[in-house]
Amino acid sequence: MGVIYGYFAAADDDDAVRAVMGEDDEPTATGYDGFDVNGMDPTVDLLPAEVILSGRSAETIQADPRYGHLLATADDGQLLCPSLTDALRDALAAADRGSLHHVAQVWAASDVFPTPPDPQGLAEFLEQAIDLAGRAVERGHRLYCWICVRRAPAPLALPVQRQG
């Protein structure tokens, strides 16, 4: 099973739902300003980064009504769309790019990852997120994530060849 995360900006919650669900109620997750990554859950993996960048406690962030608020699901829960907090958007948009590597090192050392990730990869994620958040603030948009859970295909049933 694999999980792909798409971070994107939309005008509001209804617009975010339209970003992941087409008019025919089929999943789309295309056509909006954003980027895709593997393995960056918005409520678990991103929480320490939000603490570092925003200066808010984990408890305060988790109490924010926009923190991971589920807006849409499709395909029996294989596609989800939660919101991100406005405080995270604003903190990313205001972040000092010169401090990204320090933020990434502190974040990599947090206990949310089963094995510590490469801080350079986290810094690259932060750079994309900062760019997205900056554009979102300029447009008055909010940040969201679509999560696509892809199940491994069933093994092929091969015919048994009998010898002899």
Side-chain angles (χ1 to χ4, degrees), residues 113-137:
F113 301 106
T115 57
D118 174 22
Q120 180 60 38
L122 294 179
E124 290 170 7
F125 171 86
L126 287 171
E127 286 179 17
Q128 291 183 65
I130 285 170
D131 291 342
L132 177 63
R135 293 188 301 270
V137 167

Side-chain angles (χ1 to χ4, degrees), residues 42-151:
T43 59
V44 177
D45 300 334
L46 205 49
L47 181 60
E50 185 167 353
V51 168
I52 297 163
L53 291 166
S54 73
R56 300 191 313 160
S57 70
E59 294 78 17
T60 300
I61 294 166
Q62 291 169 323
D64 187 316
R66 292 200 55 77
Y67 174 76
H69 176 70
L70 189 60
L71 300 171
T73 62
D75 288 344
D76 296 323
Q78 291 186 60
L79 179 66
L80 310 169
C81 180
S83 61
L84 278 63
T85 68
D86 293 335
L88 175 60
R89 177 204 57 201
D90 297 344
L92 285 165
D96 173 18
R97 287 183 185 272
S99 68
L100 285 188
H101 290 285
H102 172 71
V103 170
Q105 288 175 335
V106 174
W107 183 17
S110 69
D111 62 356
V112 298
F113 301 106
T115 57
D118 174 22
Q120 180 60 38
L122 294 179
E124 290 170 7
F125 171 86
L126 287 171
E127 286 179 17
Q128 291 183 65
I130 285 170
D131 291 342
L132 177 63
R135 293 188 301 270
V137 167
E138 287 174 7
R139 297 177 185 139
H141 288 185
R142 294 177 133 172
L143 296 182
Y144 301 88
C145 181
W146 59 262
I147 304 168
C148 180
V149 179
R150 298 191 309 174
R151 295 186 182 136

Side-chain angles (χ1 to χ4, degrees), residues 4-20:
I4 299 173
Y5 299 87
Y7 289 87
F8 69 98
D12 56 31
D13 292 354
D14 291 335
D15 192 33
V17 171
R18 284 189 296 276
V20 297

